[in-house]
Amino acid sequence: MLYYLFDYLDKHFNIPGAGVFQYISFRALGATVLSLFIAATWGKSIINLLRRKQMGESIRDLGLAGQLEKAGTPTMGGFIILASLLIPVLLFAKLSNVYIVLLIITAIWTGGIGFLDDYLKKFKNNKDGLAGRFKIVGQVGLGLIVGITLSFNDNVKIRVYDQPLLSSNLGEVQRYHDIIHPTITTIPFIKNNEFDYKTLLFGWLPEEYTWVIYTIIAIFIITAISNGANITDGIDGLAAGVSGIIALTLGVLAYLSGNTKFSQYLNIMYIPNSGELVIFCAAFIGACVGFLWYNAYPAQVFMGDTGSLMLGGVIAVVALAIRKEWLIPVMCGIFIVENASVILQVSYFKYTKRKYGEGRRIFLMSPLHHHYQKKGIHEAKIVTRFWIVGIILAILTLATLKLR
């Protein structure tokens, strides 16, 4: 909203300084600062409100050190993240941008699914919360919206320059043509790192139905990453910290993909208007860091599914929007490993129970962070080490811009 206000003031009244809102870097900085401010100032009030509503977390005794001490800690703190994310985005971003609209829908949609789960647990005394099949239906519905929008919206395009710029001549303007409704994406570690979904089934599927394949992939990615973030949210500060690191990585990729000069210099696809996602990522980082003020060990509030499902859903959709979804196995490696640890543990237990009559385990406990807790490592140290791994994965993700 502020973008349109200051753009109007600049064009019609030539007010000094109003033109600064044209710069993505300035609006991203403003979104980050405001997001941190909202989380810091409103966070305590939201926590007190959750306490008054008796939104304390019920803790099952799993034999983990310090676990029972967390009983009664307010949950549904995801509202802190949602407020400190959406308000700066609404103020600083271009609300006519298709990617921004899609991400606002994503944040509200996934936050709503998580809220229903938390609401049923706390107010309806349903310890299982929202049934898994309904969560999947919600995630599939969002995947359909994202996949169809990115496949058919006329504002979703890739710009191809007729002659690439030389790194020594960044100021040169080149002729170009736009690919509307693109079916290509980025694939890491390969020269000219592009992959066309039209070739996925070796041409068996008619080109006009490529969107079906893409939408199925979008559904899978959104479901996997939102659930991965949900599973990762098991100890103080883990999910918020890891999500902040991933968001910073996505912000850098969005800036490079939305900048003509840098995209050509790095030989990556230029996606017009995707630079606006930097503002969203900046607000997202601020929201995660601001939430950590209250969620770092010992946590004063838990994000609940309201926050964790939203974090994963937003990360997945940003990656899809900038055509970097095949970088997710590297960038979101922690979410994927946490998810895989649960799948492996349950599958192996069931298999050994059928074969030997007694279930056996691969890990002391799943998800993976609980395995390390069972080994006697303090949760604050586990979180710090996971953050370090997240930073390494982020560096490796960015290195794929040159490692081909």
Side-chain angles (χ1 to χ4, degrees):
M1 295 177 186
L2 290 178
Y3 170 82
Y4 299 104
L5 172 63
F6 281 90
D7 182 55
Y8 177 83
L9 293 174
D10 184 41
K11 289 179 178 177
H12 292 83
F13 299 99
N14 198 27
I15 295 178
V20 74
F21 272 78
Q22 297 295 323
Y23 294 97
I24 287 176
S25 55
F26 176 81
R27 288 187 287 128
L29 179 61
T32 305
V33 172
L34 181 58
S35 182
L36 285 167
F37 178 78
I38 291 171
T41 55
W42 289 9
K44 192 65 177 177
S45 299
I46 293 175
I47 292 170
N48 290 335
L49 175 63
L50 293 171
R51 281 202 180 99
R52 288 196 298 271
K53 296 294 183 180
Q54 297 182 335
M55 294 302 298
E57 182 72 66
S58 300
I59 303 293
R60 289 185 300 161
D61 188 3
L62 300 175
L64 299 172
Q67 180 192 23
L68 296 180
E69 298 171 7
K70 299 182 181 183
T73 302
T75 188
M76 270 199 207
F79 282 118
I80 299 174
I81 302 176
L82 271 171
S84 52
L85 168 63
L86 293 179
I87 293 173
V89 168
L90 291 172
L91 288 174
F92 285 97
K94 292 181 184 178
L95 300 181
S96 59
N97 185 289
V98 62
Y99 302 117
I100 294 296
V101 172
L102 200 56
L103 280 162
I104 291 173
I105 292 171
T106 298
I108 295 172
W109 188 292
T110 49
I113 295 171
F115 168 75
L116 285 174
D117 187 58
D118 290 335
Y119 177 83
L120 290 172
K121 287 177 182 176
K122 303 311 301 179
F123 288 104
K124 299 299 181 181
N125 296 318
N126 184 342
K127 65 178 181 178
D128 295 323
L130 187 65
R133 63 181 180 276
F134 293 120
K135 284 185 184 178
I136 296 297
V137 167
Q139 290 163 336
V140 169
L142 177 61
L144 285 170
I145 293 172
V146 172
I148 292 171
T149 300
L150 295 178
S151 296
F152 293 109
N153 190 286
D154 290 341
N155 293 311
V156 176
K157 53 192 172 184
I158 293 171
R159 184 161 295 171
V160 178
Y161 285 84
D162 297 336
Q163 184 178 356
L165 276 173
L166 298 175
S167 59
S168 60
N169 194 16
L170 291 177
E172 184 181 345
V173 178
Q174 299 284 312
R175 289 180 296 179
Y176 62 84
H177 64 276
D178 287 341
I179 301 175
I180 309 296
H181 310 151
T183 58
I184 59 175
T185 190
T186 302
I187 191 165
F189 304 115
I190 293 176
K191 190 175 181 180
N192 300 321
N193 57 341
E194 292 182 0
F195 173 77
D196 196 330
Y197 283 110
K198 291 177 182 177
T199 65
L200 191 60
L201 297 178
F202 306 101
W204 174 78
L205 190 71
E207 288 187 9
E208 59 267 28
Y209 295 113
T210 303
W211 69 272
V212 176
I213 298 294
Y214 180 76
T215 302
I216 292 171
I217 291 172
I219 290 169
F220 174 79
I221 289 172
I222 290 169
T223 303
I225 301 304
S226 59
N227 287 333
N230 184 234
I231 289 172
T232 302
D233 180 36
I235 51 180
D236 300 350
L238 180 56
V242 171
S243 297
I245 294 167
I246 296 170
L248 178 59
T249 309
L250 286 168
V252 172
L253 293 172
Y255 182 79
L256 296 175
S257 298
N259 185 286
T260 309
K261 297 175 183 178
F262 286 122
S263 61
Q264 290 186 81
Y265 173 68
L266 293 168
N267 192 27
I268 60 176
M269 65 177 70
Y270 172 53
I271 307 173
N273 304 316
S274 65
E276 202 66 20
L277 290 172
V278 177
I279 286 89
F280 196 98
C281 290
F284 189 93
I285 295 165
C288 289
V289 174
F291 182 72
L292 279 173
W293 184 266
Y294 301 103
N295 184 242
Y297 180 86
Q300 296 171 257
V301 66
F302 301 139
M303 68 174 68
D305 284 12
T306 306
S308 59
L309 287 175
M310 184 272 294
L311 292 178
V314 165
I315 286 169
V317 175
V318 173
L320 287 162
I322 60 175
R323 308 281 163 173
K324 300 294 185 292
E325 62 269 23
W326 291 100
L327 285 172
I328 283 177
V330 181
M331 181 169 40
C332 301
I334 289 176
F335 291 165
I336 291 171
V337 168
E338 291 271 57
N339 235 341
S341 68
V342 175
I343 295 170
L344 288 171
Q345 184 88 322
V346 172
S347 300
Y348 187 71
F349 185 87
K350 289 181 177 179
Y351 168 75
T352 52
K353 190 171 185 178
R354 284 198 307 269
K355 187 170 183 178
Y356 304 110
E358 179 184 14
R360 301 175 184 178
R361 293 174 173 82
I362 300 173
F363 306 102
L364 296 177
M365 187 176 177
S366 66
L368 187 61
H369 56 263
H370 287 327
H371 169 78
Y372 292 113
Q373 278 187 285
K374 282 286 191 179
K375 293 184 76 171
I377 303 174
H378 193 278
E379 66 177 277
K381 180 168 284 190
I382 296 170
V383 169
T384 302
R385 288 177 174 174
F386 272 58
W387 287 358
I388 292 170
V389 173
I391 292 169
I392 293 170
L393 293 174
I395 293 170
L396 182 57
T397 300
L398 296 175
T400 60
L401 295 171
K402 280 295 184 182
L403 294 176
R404 303 176 190 173

